[in-house]
Amino acid sequence: MKKSSGFRSHSADASPRLVKPRKTPVQARSAETVRAIREATIQVLLETGAQRLTTTRVSQRAGVSVGTLYQYFPNKNALLYAVLNEHFSRIIDALEQACAASHGCSVEQMARTMTLAFIDAKLHDAQAILVDVRKRGTAAIIKMLRSAPGARFPDVETTVMVLYTALAATMRVVLESGASKAMVAATRRELVLLAEGQLTRASLAQRG
Amino acid sequence: MKKSSGFRSHSADASPRLVKPRKTPVQARSAETVRAIREATIQVLLETGAQRLTTTRVSQRAGVSVGTLYQYFPNKNALLYAVLNEHFSRIIDALEQACAASHGCSVEQMARTMTLAFIDAKLHDAQAILVDVRKRGTAAIIKMLRSAPGARFPDVETTVMVLYTALAATMRVVLESGASKAMVAATRRELVLLAEGQLTRASLAQRG
DNA sequence: ACCTGAACACCGTTCAAGT
DNA sequence: ACCTGAACACCGTTCAAGT
């Protein structure tokens, strides 16, 4: 048998099929291996940054060979996805709680609570905005908005998509620019205004 | 003499020094070479996407050797930066015009004009948000806002940074998701609301 | 069932040698 | 002054071979 294709994977997307583990561990030994690989990925990510993250480095740090890594993750992207998804999931927990806590409040109060929760969740290591995380986050906000008394959002999906993107992207830009505390505080104030402004407008606007 | 370091450039940033051309052409021949390389970069970018853009492919398409490419661009990033910067510059022209045209208008009118100009500029091939382009865009908006009669923006830099990021990031997400015409239209409406809402709030808010 | 690591087909970048 | 292209030090990914 010959190697069919040593082609470098040029696809950057993390479509579901490419992102699932290649196989699930059935023995205790391999479960530990997978854990070690995930752990090593986080370490390498934090120590050297995403740019320097290589499969060789990760597997070395995990104490296994590259081949083993590829037994559980079909490619480097899947590995990154798995780890980051878990990380962001924990951040979104805070947003979900804030949304739940603001059920039935005024739109202004909702805007405030949600925005601050989002910011305080500290999107530090922000990488690609992951689809699943995004879904959870927007779902929580939509559910909250539907509970606002006396307010209707004619196109709540778009409203929340835009709002979520604005919050996430702005925090990403600010944090990546190595912002000072004062700059973060200013951004914080401004994002609350943005959220309040958009939500009050969107809840009143008449649309065709 | 031995090769001092064949190290792959791991730095992703496009700091000014790394981004300037390595040398400037002094003869007609090399001016044409640089032009061909820039042209080839755009072609490869459009045909195969940023993922598949390699220095070898670009130089091949340009009809020169890799070595020649590296005589004018210190690394791949600088090449990309040069080309994208020029591209986005043309897009920002539209924003600058819209801002200039709305001098002295109401804040609501400003929000509307500016947002629609931004969207209509079609951030299609949106790549990294380039610093210089960003600067020009935000500068135009700030200048316009300062001309609004009866409105004061206590922290206009932050206001505009947040607004610009929100607009750019949202359009990027929407266009990259292969949005339908209807989705683009909905986003359009929503972004106008966002801009209006934020700007009216930011212009009235009292801050410490 | 799980792991290894040499091998493959790419990369970005350099530099002695040419015109 | 400008260009060439083999060479270097990396990559991501695979697969025959081992336990």
Side-chain angles (χ1 to χ4, degrees), chain B residues 152-175:
Chain B
R152 265 197 66 254
F153 293 89
D155 185 2
V156 72
E157 277 83 9
T158 309
T159 300
V160 171
M161 181 277 285
V162 166
L163 179 55
Y164 188 95
T165 305
L167 295 180
T170 304
M171 284 311 288
R172 195 157 98 101
V173 168
V174 168
L175 293 174

Side-chain angles (χ1 to χ4, degrees), chain B residues 12-53:
Chain B
D13 69 322
S15 73
R17 226 165 33 78
L18 289 176
V19 131
K20 289 273 172 247
R22 170 162 283 174
K23 74 192 286 186
T24 352
V26 303
Q27 289 184 359
R29 176 170 50 146
S30 67
E32 163 57 21
T33 300
V34 170
R35 201 207 54 74
I37 293 172
R38 295 174 84 107
E39 172 73 28
T41 306
I42 294 171
Q43 281 182 26
V44 172
L45 216 46
L46 292 177
E47 283 173 29
T48 66
Q51 283 285 320
R52 279 189 154 84
L53 187 130

Side-chain angles (χ1 to χ4, degrees), chain A residues 34-89:
Chain A
V34 171
R35 202 207 52 73
I37 293 172
R38 294 174 84 108
E39 172 73 28
T41 305
I42 293 170
Q43 283 182 26
V44 173
L45 216 46
L46 292 177
E47 283 173 29
T48 67
Q51 283 284 321
R52 277 190 156 84
L53 185 129
T54 47
T55 50
T56 316
R57 243 187 284 264
V58 168
S59 57
Q60 208 166 314
R61 171 65 67 103
V64 298
S65 79
V66 235
T68 301
L69 188 156
Y70 276 93
Q71 222 168 114
Y72 299 102
F73 301 94
N75 51 52
K76 189 182 153 185
N77 243 303
L79 179 63
L80 236 57
Y81 182 89
V83 166
L84 290 177
N85 194 44
E86 200 189 336
H87 174 73
F88 279 88
S89 254

Side-chain angles (χ1 to χ4, degrees), chain B residues 8 26-27 29-30 33 64-65 67-68 71-72:
Chain B
R8 197 178 265 233
V26 303
Q27 289 184 359
R29 176 170 50 146
S30 67
T33 300
V64 296
S65 80
T68 301
Q71 221 169 118
Y72 299 100

Side-chain angles (χ1 to χ4, degrees), chain B residues 13-203:
Chain B
D13 69 322
S15 73
R17 226 165 33 78
L18 289 176
V19 131
K20 289 273 172 247
R22 170 162 283 174
K23 74 192 286 186
T24 352
V26 303
Q27 289 184 359
R29 176 170 50 146
S30 67
E32 163 57 21
T33 300
V34 170
R35 201 207 54 74
I37 293 172
R38 295 174 84 107
E39 172 73 28
T41 306
I42 294 171
Q43 281 182 26
V44 172
L45 216 46
L46 292 177
E47 283 173 29
T48 66
Q51 283 285 320
R52 279 189 154 84
L53 187 130
T54 47
T55 50
T56 315
R57 242 187 284 265
V58 168
S59 57
Q60 209 165 313
R61 171 65 67 105
V64 296
S65 80
V66 236
T68 301
L69 189 155
Y70 276 93
Q71 221 169 118
Y72 299 100
F73 301 94
N75 52 50
K76 187 181 151 183
N77 243 304
L79 179 63
L80 236 56
Y81 182 91
V83 167
L84 290 176
N85 194 43
E86 199 189 337
H87 175 73
F88 279 89
S89 253
R90 256 172 304 197
I91 285 181
I92 288 293
D93 285 344
L95 182 62
E96 282 179 340
Q97 283 198 4
C99 283
S102 297
H103 252 248
C105 293
S106 71
V107 171
E108 258 108 348
Q109 179 58 34
M110 284 180 175
R112 206 186 132 70
T113 308
M114 175 192 57
T115 305
L116 295 183
F118 202 97
I119 294 170
D120 292 341
K122 293 192 221 108
L123 265 48
H124 273 121
D125 348 44
Q127 204 59 19
I129 295 162
L130 300 170
V131 174
D132 289 359
V133 167
R134 200 187 170 83
K135 261 188 206 145
R136 271 183 58 197
T138 53
I141 299 173
I142 287 173
K143 199 178 162 198
M144 172 183 71
L145 290 182
R146 291 215 166 105
S147 79
R152 265 197 66 254
F153 293 89
D155 185 2
V156 72
E157 277 83 9
T158 309
T159 300
V160 171
M161 181 277 285
V162 166
L163 179 55
Y164 188 95
T165 305
L167 295 180
T170 304
M171 284 311 288
R172 195 157 98 101
V173 168
V174 168
L175 293 174
E176 275 179 3
S177 72
S180 66
K181 273 200 159 181
M183 279 176 58
V184 171
T187 306
R188 217 178 129 85
R189 280 193 296 269
E190 201 63 47
L191 282 176
V192 171
L193 296 176
L194 178 144
E196 285 177 355
Q198 190 207 350
L199 288 186
T200 48
R201 294 252 159 184
S203 68

